[in-house]
Amino acid sequence: MTQTQGSLPIYQQITELLIRDIAAGRLIDGERLPPERDMADEMGIAVGTLRKALAELQNRGMLERVQGSGNYIRAVSDPKSLYAMFRLELIAGGGLPTAEVLSVDRVVKDPGLPGFGLSPEGHRIRRLRRLSGQITAVEEIWLDGSYAETIAREDLSESLYLYYRTRLGLRIVRAEDQVGLGAVPDWAPAAFTLEAGTPVPLITRISWAQDGARAETSWTWFDHRVARYVARLK
Amino acid sequence: MTQTQGSLPIYQQITELLIRDIAAGRLIDGERLPPERDMADEMGIAVGTLRKALAELQNRGMLERVQGSGNYIRAVSDPKSLYAMFRLELIAGGGLPTAEVLSVDRVVKDPGLPGFGLSPEGHRIRRLRRLSGQITAVEEIWLDGSYAETIAREDLSESLYLYYRTRLGLRIVRAEDQVGLGAVPDWAPAAFTLEAGTPVPLITRISWAQDGARAETSWTWFDHRVARYVARLK
DNA sequence: AGGAATTTGTGCGTATGTATC
DNA sequence: AGATACATACGCACAAATTCC
């Protein structure tokens, strides 16, 4: 984890990563984070840098820090904060973000994906994301086939992040947001091709690492028109 | 400046010191602070410690920090923040704190004062403090006579702190709050003697240093009944 | 206009204190 | 009482933005 030209400072990247994990349900309320030194070591950053990110989360009320005990996730109740998490603005009222698993399949990797992992196959997880009950995004996650033989749909119901860590020994170490048409992969469904004057979809790319190896594995689209694509999926 | 047993962390002491300076008008809106390294050196603390205090002020909206330029005081408009500064609660609505100079005299030091400075005389500055137009405190400041021959009333009108620094080369380096009867000096006016069940006055003691010498020089009383004393002064 | 100097921002590493388990 | 984990504080190096000459 380094700060390259034009990118956000490391501590802000960490902050956004954790916020995204909270909003997405990969970090659940009450969950205790690993010790700061462990987290920092795994992320390859200094403890002070991590602490700066954690302090920011505490300011936002998403994290409770207890000396001598640990750092505990505190889910946010204020809907406005959730909107800020997603960088999405909805006109409708409050409501917690939800993630409904649409499908979990072990399939041959789509050739349009960037290369990742060792297996020619991968687990394709499709999730429907709602905010205030309204469909805001569909999320497609690819997990390399070598990590697990099979993945049960029930395993993912509660906390995807927790599943990664406890069952697979994976820990998400970095996440990037990219906005723009160029970042949309070729295999994006036609419904997502942009028209002039329409909002640019927000694309979230999440990467994880184990034993130093890294792979891009997940994209998330946020678009008001995503419902059309979902209708076809179901 | 060290952290002793039971006292607040250094960075919190700095934060409160600066807040008090802002609230009291010793630091005025738009004023630029000295460079961080200079401030830290004068205070005898590390830059990082100072920066933590400045960051807290920025969070509260009292300070604007501009990379490559400097740190600028931003007066607070939110009345609630002002009340927090004074640790005083008023029932009435908002309003900026003001400091009206009642008198500036060079007189023989009151024997009830703790020893400070070299001169047998001192400048006695009395200021009337208002919050939301309501009289909330009277402030009596003693400045050792050796620092200046005479002090003009006009000099103090704008920013006492600025006057100290630019004209006298003094810089406030520490401030303590003490609550309790024992800390009230003997020369406190009769109106301030406590009665059972009445609120305890808040006493602010400010010290400054030059060339390593220190002197206690200022007390401030906050009490609803201060108006009676003021009436006699005028 | 442009380069040097100034000033804050970021990141790292370390040591020690303090609360919790 | 010992181990664990967060809190505080220090100092250094370099980056980035601003300001000054």
Side-chain angles (χ1 to χ4, degrees):
Chain A
M1 170 90 50
T2 54
Q3 181 184 3
T4 59
Q5 182 79 15
S7 68
L8 284 176
I10 295 177
Y11 74 93
Q12 284 187 27
Q13 293 181 37
I14 305 294
T15 300
E16 303 225 347
L17 161 66
L18 293 174
I19 288 177
R20 198 176 297 103
D21 287 339
I22 294 173
R26 291 182 286 268
L27 288 174
I28 58 178
D29 183 71
E31 185 173 346
R32 179 181 149 181
L33 295 179
E36 293 175 353
R37 278 171 189 76
D38 295 356
M39 283 185 73
D41 287 346
E42 292 187 27
M43 294 176 173
I45 63 175
V47 179
T49 304
L50 172 63
R51 284 181 58 79
K52 198 166 180 178
L54 296 178
E56 175 59 26
L57 286 178
Q58 188 181 36
N59 281 342
R60 303 200 198 182
M62 302 178 185
L63 187 73
E64 183 182 357
R65 313 184 68 189
V66 184
Q67 180 178 168
S69 178
N71 295 306
Y72 300 88
I73 298 293
R74 289 289 172 256
V76 187
S77 58
D78 181 12
K80 290 186 179 179
S81 303
L82 292 174
Y83 297 152
M85 285 186 200
F86 283 103
R87 295 178 177 173
L88 248 185
E89 288 186 8
L90 287 182
I91 300 177
L96 287 172
T98 61
E100 174 190 350
V101 177
L102 296 174
S103 64
V104 182
D105 299 301
R106 184 186 179 99
V107 295
V108 174
K109 287 177 181 172
D110 190 293
L113 287 172
F116 73 98
L118 303 173
S119 171
E121 296 183 345
H123 302 279
R124 187 189 61 191
I125 305 166
R126 285 177 170 162
R127 302 202 307 174
L128 183 61
R129 305 293 302 275
R130 292 177 191 269
L131 201 52
S132 306
Q134 182 178 348
I135 294 173
T136 53
V138 66
E139 185 178 48
E140 184 162 302
I141 302 173
W142 286 83
L143 178 67
D144 187 56
S146 62
Y147 285 123
E149 193 60 38
T150 59
I151 295 181
R153 192 191 184 101
E154 298 74 48
D155 293 332
L156 307 175
S157 58
E158 183 144 18
S159 170
L160 197 54
Y161 181 88
L162 204 57
Y163 173 77
Y164 290 153
R165 207 180 57 214
T166 58
R167 303 288 184 85
L168 305 181
L170 292 171
R171 189 186 307 281
I172 293 177
V173 294
R174 189 168 58 91
E176 299 172 357
D177 281 341
Q178 297 180 358
V179 175
L181 181 58
V184 178
D186 294 331
W187 50 284
F192 288 97
T193 55
L194 288 181
E195 302 164 6
T198 57
V200 182
L202 174 67
I203 295 160
T204 301
R205 171 178 296 177
I206 302 176
S207 70
W208 49 46
Q210 188 186 44
D211 300 331
R214 290 173 182 255
E216 313 296 332
T217 52
S218 164
W219 292 264
T220 304
W221 289 270
F222 292 92
D223 195 295
H224 301 300
R225 298 163 299 160
V226 80
R228 277 191 275 164
Y229 175 57
V230 173
R232 282 203 298 272
L233 279 179
K234 277 193 165 175
Chain B
M1 171 90 52
T2 56
Q3 181 184 4
T4 59
Q5 180 81 16
S7 67
L8 283 176
I10 294 177
Y11 75 92
Q12 284 188 26
Q13 294 180 37
I14 305 294
T15 300
E16 303 225 347
L17 161 66
L18 293 174
I19 288 177
R20 197 175 300 104
D21 286 339
I22 293 172
R26 290 182 287 268
L27 288 174
I28 60 177
D29 183 70
E31 184 174 347
R32 180 182 149 183
L33 295 180
E36 294 175 352
R37 280 166 185 77
D38 294 355
M39 283 185 74
D41 287 346
E42 293 188 26
M43 293 175 173
I45 62 176
V47 178
T49 304
L50 173 63
R51 285 179 58 81
K52 195 164 183 181
L54 296 178
E56 175 61 27
L57 286 178
Q58 188 182 35
N59 281 343
R60 303 200 197 183
M62 302 177 186
L63 187 73
E64 185 181 358
R65 313 185 65 189
V66 183
Q67 180 178 167
S69 179
N71 295 305
Y72 300 88
I73 298 293
R74 289 290 172 254
V76 187
S77 57
D78 181 12
K80 290 186 179 180
S81 303
L82 292 174
Y83 298 154
M85 285 186 200
F86 284 104
R87 295 178 177 171
L88 245 186
E89 287 187 8
L90 289 181
I91 299 177
L96 287 172
T98 61
E100 174 189 348
V101 177
L102 296 174
S103 64
V104 183
D105 299 300
R106 185 187 179 99
V107 295
V108 175
K109 288 177 180 172
D110 190 294
L113 288 172
F116 72 98
L118 303 173
S119 171
E121 296 183 348
H123 301 280
R124 186 189 63 192
I125 305 165
R126 285 177 169 162
R127 303 203 304 175
L128 183 61
R129 304 295 302 274
R130 293 177 191 268
L131 201 52
S132 306
Q134 182 179 348
I135 294 174
T136 53
V138 67
E139 187 177 48
E140 186 162 301
I141 302 171
W142 287 82
L143 177 68
D144 187 56
S146 62
Y147 285 121
E149 193 60 38
T150 59
I151 295 180
R153 192 189 184 105
E154 298 75 45
D155 292 332
L156 306 175
S157 59
E158 184 142 16
S159 170
L160 198 54
Y161 181 87
L162 204 57
Y163 173 76
Y164 290 154
R165 206 179 58 215
T166 59
R167 304 291 183 84
L168 305 181
L170 292 171
R171 190 184 307 280
I172 295 177
V173 294
R174 189 170 57 91
E176 298 172 357
D177 282 340
Q178 297 181 357
V179 175
L181 181 57
V184 178
D186 294 332
W187 50 282
F192 290 97
T193 55
L194 289 181
E195 304 164 4
T198 57
V200 181
L202 175 66
I203 294 159
T204 302
R205 171 178 298 177
I206 302 174
S207 71
W208 49 46
Q210 188 186 45
D211 300 330
R214 287 173 185 258
E216 311 298 332
T217 53
S218 163
W219 291 262
T220 304
W221 290 268
F222 293 91
D223 196 294
H224 301 299
R225 297 163 299 159
V226 82
R228 277 191 274 163
Y229 174 58
V230 174
R232 282 205 299 270
L233 278 179
K234 278 191 165 176

